[in-house]
Amino acid sequence: MHKSVLNLAIRAGLLGVVGFATTVQAQQSENEQQENKLETITITAQKRSQSIQEVPISVATISQERFNAIFSGGDDITALAVKVPGLYAETSNGRAAPRFYIRGLGNTDFDLAASQPVSIIMDEVVMENVILKSFPLFDMQAVEVIRGPQGTLFGRNTTAGIIKFDSVKPRQEFDGYFKTSAGSLGMLNVEGAVGGGLTDELSARLSLMSNHRDDWVSNSFYDNKDVMGGYNELAGRLQFLYEGDGFDALLNLHARNYDGTSTLFRANILSQGSNKLNSNYDRNTVAYNEGRNNPQSYDAWGGSLKLDFALDGMTLTSISALEKANGGGIGDIDGGNPTGPGFIPFQAVTEDQLRGLKQLTQEIRLASDTNHALSWQTGAFYFDSSFAVNSIDGFFGATEVFHGNTSWAVFGQSSYQVDEQLTITGGIRYTDDVKTFYVGQQNVNGFALVIGVAEEQYYAPIKVSDDNISWELSANYRLTPTTSLFARVAEGFRAQSIQGRDVAFEAPPSVADAETISSFEVGAKSDLLGNTLRLNGALFYYTIDDIQLSAIGGETQGNQLINADKGVGYGFEIDFDWRATPYFTLGGGFSYNKTELKDDTLTVAPCGSGMCTVLDPVNSDGQAFISGNPFPQAPKTILTLNGRYDFPIPSGEIYVYADYQLQGKTNLFLYESAEFNSNNNFEAGLRVAYTNYAHNYEVGVFGRNITNEHNLKGAIDFNNMTGFVNEPRVFGVDFRINFY
């Protein structure tokens, strides 16, 4: 079936279900409608528990059921891509270094030292390095996508927003679960948790996860069958919660061990003038002569200690955290061998090793704890990070560079309830940020060189610093008891960045100045139809001065940081949940993001050797002017739908859950070409399960990417028409039992 026809068929099927549900709803009794109300969603987007409908920020959440469906096939964190309007994610580093985008704003840099404008917060701790951002998700209690700059409470590098994950916490009551799934590609996933009280004041929870997939991609160059594509991932979390008289303490210890495959690059799977996959593409086969079949492995561990002291009308909170990681991977970057597929001008293989990553954070905040009209919180934050990246190129040799980052901030935020309808919130944060960089030892063509000799002095150590005042002002107006309007203006910044990857290729490091964002949004949040329909929407507009960009690849084969004069984005998001009947729910949303770079003189190197069709004007040196182009990897539209229908039976229920995501036009690079873009990529998932209420277990069958779509996710443009694609179709069965 043609892709566009299948796409329309899936959407038509979902709309047909909506029509059926509407007919059934018309026959409901008043009592049934009363039982049909949506539950209140509580979030912590402002570092205090609030109803999602009361927060003057555009926030989306992912329910437990939807979360379980999304990750039923053992996918990594990038599976969140296009599951929420305005949210995108991708990676060219396997399961290890994800890249996130909110409202079109992100960073395409693949290096292990890359800075991103989307911050990942796990159990109230910022995960700054890209490897820390990929910690596996299991035993999760809440997932929040908080759109727009969040520089007041969460600080630097949040110009696009944050994704906040909170795991299930210990409690006095005994509870736990065991879950396992098995399926195609040799998939076998196991996870579980157990927790309860140890004493009257002390409780604990242990959560464990194991994900496995067999190798399923063959290397035809060496006639090796099923040698890539698999992984083994183990992770665990141990938490202790002490609840005393006026004092609580939560200790969180976690670790991860991962062995798998780097992203599989595929040579010449695009033809000049087209963005469609051609006959060189075979999902199950590559033809690598280098890269040792692209192995990848990482180890990470960390811990945090949260202390809460109850004072007179306020709470003092301290969060101390330490994160560490090591590992690396290797990739056949040209995606083929000297004989093809297609024409490959030269061979390219690189290896990157992360060594000695250490991140230390400390936050102290004081928050009011009263029911007065005025509520407030104030605090201080400290961040210190250091690590080394060793880049090994098949031609140039090995180079080790060292990155350091120290940052501190003070912040405050206050809300004042003017009357029963209007609440005004204001916040401010001062941040001081320092980054350092120096080059260690190089090994060029087998000869060790110590950086610092005369001919290498342009590699001298670098130190850059900046400070910034971020602020926000918002208002929430309750129009009716179930509908509120909000408006928000905010400014944030992303600290200056240093990229030293090009040192490995005999080029100097690059530095990008800090970027600052001014954001405006207005929106509405409402619970309609007797609280059976939750409909939230927002309009936004933002400008970024000195937007940081990564000029990657092209004919210069580089990875250089640059600043454009300005970036502009505007659009809207709509999120909805509809409990159409006691047995049918429908949810989803839609986003439109228009982004544009504005810098009349800024150019980048387009694809190498004229192999692609560049659509931008070029200068006499062949450099492409990028002013007017969209941000890279910024989907113009995202549509997401999910639905569930229940069939009650005497022992429990049988239900069908389906989800669908459609990604609009997306440009892959800073320059525009006929080849390096995608449009109308979609995926769908399905799950059918039986739930037994009496014995607290559930068994089901599921499928992810059920139509087996082959979607272009990214490309490499300096050597040949190399691309990489989405995950394949996976079918499986699963079982879960809960213990109380």
Side-chain angles (χ1 to χ4, degrees), residues 346-363:
F346 57 91
Q347 297 298 288
V349 59
T350 60
E351 181 175 358
D352 290 297
Q353 300 291 335
L354 180 74
R355 296 182 177 176
L357 171 65
K358 181 180 179 180
Q359 175 189 288
L360 175 67
T361 59
Q362 174 65 55
E363 180 172 346

Side-chain angles (χ1 to χ4, degrees), residues 246-572:
F247 170 70
D248 295 344
L250 175 64
L251 176 66
N252 180 319
L253 303 172
H254 47 270
R256 169 202 194 185
N257 172 263
Y258 161 69
D259 287 292
T261 305
S262 299
T263 294
L264 298 179
F265 306 110
R266 302 168 183 271
N268 292 308
I269 61 173
L270 299 173
S271 302
Q272 188 165 16
S274 172
N275 66 349
K276 306 299 181 184
L277 302 177
N278 61 28
S279 59
N280 290 327
Y281 168 72
D282 179 355
R283 175 168 260 162
N284 299 310
T285 307
V286 295
Y288 294 167
N289 65 315
E290 296 179 305
R292 305 195 305 271
N293 293 328
N294 285 27
Q296 184 181 64
S297 63
Y298 283 92
D299 292 297
W301 66 269
S304 64
L305 177 62
K306 180 182 179 182
L307 306 175
D308 286 313
F309 301 88
L311 306 177
D312 185 16
M314 62 190 73
T315 300
L316 177 65
T317 299
S318 169
I319 303 175
S320 309
L322 173 67
E323 302 291 336
K324 290 190 173 184
N326 289 280
I330 186 172
D332 189 316
I333 306 302
D334 61 82
N337 61 80
T339 63
F343 175 62
I344 302 176
F346 57 91
Q347 297 298 288
V349 59
T350 60
E351 181 175 358
D352 290 297
Q353 300 291 335
L354 180 74
R355 296 182 177 176
L357 171 65
K358 181 180 179 180
Q359 175 189 288
L360 175 67
T361 59
Q362 174 65 55
E363 180 172 346
I364 297 176
R365 64 177 184 261
L366 189 64
S368 63
D369 190 21
T370 66
N371 294 322
H372 298 160
L374 180 68
S375 62
W376 53 267
Q377 56 182 306
T378 185
F381 177 77
Y382 177 79
F383 173 92
D384 184 81
S385 173
S386 60
F387 59 91
V389 177
N390 191 21
S391 297
I392 305 169
D393 178 76
F395 178 79
F396 288 97
T399 299
E400 190 167 37
V401 299
F402 295 86
H403 291 265
N405 187 193
T406 301
S407 180
W408 63 269
V410 290
F411 61 89
Q413 185 173 7
S414 180
S415 295
Y416 181 69
Q417 186 174 346
V418 178
D419 53 35
E420 292 184 355
Q421 293 176 295
L422 178 63
T423 301
I424 297 175
T425 300
I428 192 168
R429 185 185 190 104
Y430 173 81
T431 302
D432 183 271
D433 194 274
V434 178
K435 281 191 172 69
T436 58
F437 171 87
Y438 69 94
V439 181
Q441 182 171 314
Q442 282 188 301
N443 188 308
V444 181
N445 294 327
F447 297 95
L449 298 176
V450 177
I451 298 305
V453 297
E455 63 268 29
E456 303 288 353
Q457 285 186 0
Y458 62 95
Y459 295 149
I462 297 173
K463 180 179 180 179
V464 292
S465 61
D466 202 353
D467 60 355
N468 177 268
I469 295 177
S470 302
W471 58 271
E472 70 167 292
L473 181 65
S474 62
N476 192 76
Y477 184 80
R478 186 166 289 279
L479 192 64
T480 72
T482 59
T483 299
S484 61
L485 308 177
F486 71 89
R488 180 174 184 258
V489 56
E491 289 201 353
F493 95 116
R494 178 152 63 115
Q496 64 284 343
S497 301
I498 304 174
Q499 178 52 269
R501 183 175 183 79
D502 278 2
V503 174
F505 303 94
E506 302 303 299
S510 56
V511 178
D513 295 333
E515 66 182 20
T516 56
I517 184 172
S518 298
S519 172
F520 307 86
E521 63 180 296
V522 295
K525 300 183 178 184
S526 56
D527 290 336
L528 307 171
L529 303 180
N531 289 347
T532 62
L533 172 64
R534 180 165 295 134
L535 183 62
N536 297 341
L539 298 166
F540 65 87
Y541 175 87
Y542 63 82
T543 60
I544 311 172
D545 291 327
D546 297 321
I547 180 173
Q548 294 184 23
L549 303 171
S550 295
I552 298 172
E555 198 160 13
T556 60
Q557 307 169 38
N559 186 349
Q560 289 281 304
L561 290 172
I562 57 176
N563 289 98
D565 285 345
K566 184 175 291 187
V568 175
Y570 60 86
F572 65 89

Side-chain angles (χ1 to χ4, degrees), residues 603 617-625:
T603 61
V618 296
N619 62 18
S620 58
D621 295 325
Q623 301 282 298
F625 290 93

